[in-house]
Amino acid sequence: LAKTTQPISMDSYEGQEVNITCSHNNIATNDYITWYQQFPSQGPRFIIQGYKTKVTNEVASLFIPADRKSSTLSLPRVSLSDTAVYYCLVGDGTSGTYKYIFGTGTRLKVLA
Amino acid sequence: DAGVIQSPRHEVTEMGQEVTLRCKPISGHDYLFWYRQTMMRGLELLIYFNNNVPIDDSGMPEDRFSAKMPNASFSTLKIQPSEPRDSAVYFCASSFRSNNEQFFGPGTRLTVL
């Protein structure tokens, strides 16, 4: 099964770019990589999803190298409101039944 | 759409009691997921359904846990008998396709005394 690993926590200052990396060594060929944001007492919320290379939307970019064994979520110019826990989610279809595996989560704290 | 709806939002019960958590997915979504979140274990997928059929229940901890989806607009997660180690936040989520964005409900915070 794909196993996902993330840094436990990160600190940043307002206005800086933040990059959070997720390692997923056993990701299968057809699996997507999805990132979620979670605030206290709320459910996770979708940020971005990709399969390979680079994906960008209005809030973030996702970089996926050619071997797809990792991915990097990039948050440009973070603000205090970006303080949250960020999770990567990898799908794994190698066992025949598609499985969903969340990373351990990265707690981002944005400082003024 | 009101999003994914879960009830109750909070549940406090005593060990040995039966607990039933409820979820209403977003209309038109074919996939429904039940997750459990704790500080120690993070977010764990318990079970997911496609078109009301359970696809993968390998994450269900033990026989005390059961989940049903009698129709496209309703699912339950039942714990019987409950134990203190079941205390966690339980999330329900739904999506349109298997690898599409999952929409999470607000969660049910369960405390088993």
Side-chain angles (χ1 to χ4, degrees):
Chain A
L1 282 181
K3 183 177 180 180
T4 58
T5 306
Q6 303 177 231
I8 294 175
S9 64
M10 298 178 70
D11 288 349
S12 181
Y13 288 95
E14 280 190 294
Q16 290 187 331
E17 178 184 79
V18 171
N19 296 308
I20 305 174
T21 298
C22 177
S23 297
H24 26 79
N25 293 334
N26 297 327
I27 188 171
T29 305
N30 297 324
D31 295 343
Y32 281 77
I33 301 156
T34 311
W35 283 80
Y36 289 82
Q37 176 190 56
Q38 186 178 27
F39 296 112
S41 302
Q42 295 183 22
R45 184 177 67 176
F46 174 88
I47 301 174
I48 197 167
Q49 182 182 68
Y51 181 75
K52 61 181 177 180
T53 63
K54 178 184 175 182
V55 178
T56 297
N57 62 21
E58 62 276 9
V59 298
S61 293
L62 178 59
F63 298 91
I64 304 170
D67 65 6
R68 301 191 348 108
K69 293 184 181 299
S70 66
S71 60
T72 299
L73 173 71
S74 181
L75 304 173
R77 297 179 298 281
V78 295
S79 64
L80 295 176
S81 63
D82 292 318
T83 294
V85 181
Y86 293 83
Y87 293 93
C88 61
L89 171 64
V90 175
D92 186 335
T94 55
S95 66
T97 300
Y98 198 83
K99 296 186 181 295
Y100 299 84
I101 303 166
F102 268 94
T104 49
T106 298
R107 189 174 300 275
L108 172 65
K109 185 175 183 180
V110 180
L111 307 170
Chain B
D1 200 314
V4 175
I5 299 173
Q6 292 187 245
S7 65
R9 293 293 309 276
H10 302 273
E11 177 80 29
V12 179
T13 190
E14 293 188 346
M15 183 173 62
Q17 297 298 307
E18 178 180 291
V19 174
T20 299
L21 311 182
R22 297 172 176 80
C23 175
K24 176 179 169 57
I26 293 173
S27 177
H29 281 189
D30 294 334
Y31 284 81
L32 183 139
F33 308 83
W34 282 100
Y35 290 91
R36 178 173 67 176
Q37 186 173 40
T38 61
M39 288 294 293
M40 291 297 295
R41 301 176 67 90
L43 265 169
E44 302 175 278
L45 177 64
L46 300 177
I47 185 172
Y48 76 93
F49 296 82
N50 178 24
N51 291 323
N52 313 337
V53 176
I55 302 300
D56 181 23
D57 65 355
S58 60
M60 296 286 262
E62 47 197 274
D63 291 345
R64 298 184 297 106
F65 285 69
S66 63
K68 294 182 180 179
M69 192 165 186
N71 57 62
S73 59
F74 183 66
S75 177
T76 59
L77 178 67
K78 185 176 294 186
I79 308 172
Q80 166 63 21
S82 59
E83 297 182 2
R85 59 187 168 134
D86 301 330
S87 297
V89 180
Y90 291 81
F91 288 104
C92 176
S94 70
S95 71
F96 180 56
R97 282 196 290 263
S98 64
N99 53 22
N100 269 31
E101 170 185 359
Q102 294 183 26
F103 292 81
F104 282 75
T108 295
R109 181 173 296 276
L110 173 65
T111 302
V112 183
L113 303 174

